[in-house]
Amino acid sequence: MCIRDRSKSEKKLLLVYLHSPMHELSHEFCGNVLGSEPICEYIQANMLCWAGSAASSDGLEAYMWCKASGFPAIGIVAPINYRGGALQMVLVALLQGKFSQDDLMVTMIKMTQAFEPVLAATLRDSVARDLERDLRLEQEEEFELALAADRERQQLAEEQAREFERQAHKHIQEQNRRAALREVVLAPEPGPGPGIAKIQFRFPTGQQTVRRFNYHDKIELLQSFVHSKGITDEFALIRSFPPRQLDDLEETVEQAGLVPSAQVLVAVESVSDDEGD
């Protein structure tokens, strides 16, 4: 009987009528008592109503539930909250056998009046439970947000620690690289003569230095020469005329067009405070 669930949901009294078509009083009762205008109007205004044959499955269930022993039978059921638990459907009045319209009306009025304080208490309990539930949900949400914030802070701290470690490792590698570059030992500068190129280097500071290289020396040797002058930052070698970046370290001085003489610009890509340390 889903009407009971509706009674719980709407917190209304439920009037249950058990009809026995074979009983001699049933038709008279339906026409003169249950079907009368005052009774119908009162039921419609104050409670829910379920009517069914006692021979049906739902009617048999209602018959057993109301513990009726005669017909016609009317039970009034109230949704009552026991000790803050779930609402329970409780039979609060039972009329059976021969009874009048006045008997039914008086019973309904009494039950309605008696149910009003019970309903008020039920509503208070329901509101209190809703408030408690909302408070609990709010606290749980705040707790989850705090946990998420803690996880985020922890993750950020771990990422910062990893980044610090990475930067420290990178710094050590860079220091080692620069130390190795400063220790580059070049072969003696060749003297002037055939097969010898004269290259003028122009540094970012404006300083100019001239050195001779063999035609078959590679661009890598020119880079090593620049490193030997204290340039440990990343740099590019650029031939002045015609302009061209010398980025192929395996290319020879002759292949790079630096013979018999040329000017090369040293363009530093990044300047570090560690330069010259």
Side-chain angles (χ1 to χ4, degrees):
M1 296 173 63
C2 62
I3 189 68
R4 287 185 293 182
D5 294 332
R6 183 181 167 191
S7 176
K8 291 180 182 179
S9 175
E10 297 182 16
K11 297 178 178 59
K12 282 187 175 183
L13 291 173
L14 171 62
L15 184 143
V16 177
Y17 168 58
L18 288 171
H19 179 74
S20 176
M22 303 303 295
H23 199 278
E24 58 183 4
L25 298 178
S26 295
H27 296 290
E28 180 183 353
F29 175 79
C30 288
N32 298 331
V33 179
L34 187 61
S36 65
E37 185 175 349
I39 295 296
C40 290
E41 289 180 353
Y42 190 86
I43 292 175
Q44 185 175 9
N46 296 280
M47 57 185 65
L48 301 175
C49 180
W50 179 90
S53 172
S56 67
S57 58
D58 284 345
L60 180 60
E61 180 184 353
Y63 179 79
M64 299 295 293
W65 187 49
C66 292
K67 300 178 182 179
S69 59
F71 295 97
I74 282 188
I76 298 179
V77 185
I80 297 179
N81 189 336
Y82 281 110
R83 298 179 180 177
L87 289 175
Q88 302 293 328
M89 299 302 291
V90 179
L91 180 68
V92 294
L94 177 63
L95 296 174
Q96 54 188 346
K98 188 174 182 179
F99 54 93
S100 66
Q101 175 182 323
D102 290 340
D103 293 333
L104 178 55
M105 181 63 77
V106 169
T107 301
M108 290 193 301
I109 292 174
K110 285 182 177 180
M111 292 302 100
T112 301
Q113 292 174 346
F115 183 62
E116 287 179 356
V118 176
L119 175 60
T122 300
L123 291 174
R124 285 196 302 271
D125 292 342
S126 177
V127 170
R129 286 195 302 272
D130 290 344
L131 290 175
E132 182 180 357
R133 182 197 61 220
D134 293 344
L135 178 60
R136 184 171 63 254
L137 291 176
E138 183 179 350
Q139 291 174 338
E140 290 175 355
E141 183 179 358
E142 291 177 353
F143 180 70
E144 290 297 328
L145 290 175
L147 282 180
D150 288 341
R151 287 193 294 266
E152 185 176 352
R153 284 193 294 268
Q154 182 177 359
Q155 182 179 3
L156 179 61
E158 291 175 354
E159 291 176 355
Q160 290 175 338
R162 287 193 295 269
E163 178 63 18
F164 178 80
E165 184 178 355
R166 189 184 69 83
Q167 291 294 338
H169 181 68
K170 181 179 178 181
H171 179 73
I172 292 174
Q173 287 183 322
E174 180 66 13
Q175 292 296 321
N176 293 338
R177 183 187 71 83
R178 294 187 179 193
L181 291 176
R182 295 188 190 100
E183 295 174 0
V184 170
V185 178
L186 299 178
E189 181 181 5
I196 301 298
K198 184 179 181 182
I199 300 176
Q200 182 184 60
F201 294 88
R202 184 174 181 178
F203 293 91
T205 59
Q207 176 187 0
Q208 297 185 13
T209 301
V210 176
R211 191 184 191 281
R212 292 183 294 273
F213 294 88
N214 291 301
Y215 279 12
H216 57 75
D217 285 338
K218 296 181 179 181
I219 299 300
E220 183 179 14
L221 184 60
L222 274 66
Q223 275 199 344
S224 297
F225 172 72
V226 173
H227 285 312
S228 69
K229 294 300 181 179
I231 304 297
T232 56
D233 287 307
E234 296 293 332
F235 64 88
L237 298 178
I238 301 174
R239 185 182 64 191
S240 295
F241 185 82
R244 177 194 165 197
Q245 183 168 332
L246 308 175
D247 51 8
D248 184 357
L249 300 184
E250 294 299 315
E251 191 175 35
T252 65
V253 169
E254 185 177 16
Q255 291 171 339
L258 301 178
V259 296
S261 64
Q263 186 180 65
V264 173
L265 174 66
V266 180
V268 176
E269 298 179 0
S270 62
V271 179
S272 170
D273 292 338
D274 292 332
E275 184 176 318
D277 289 350

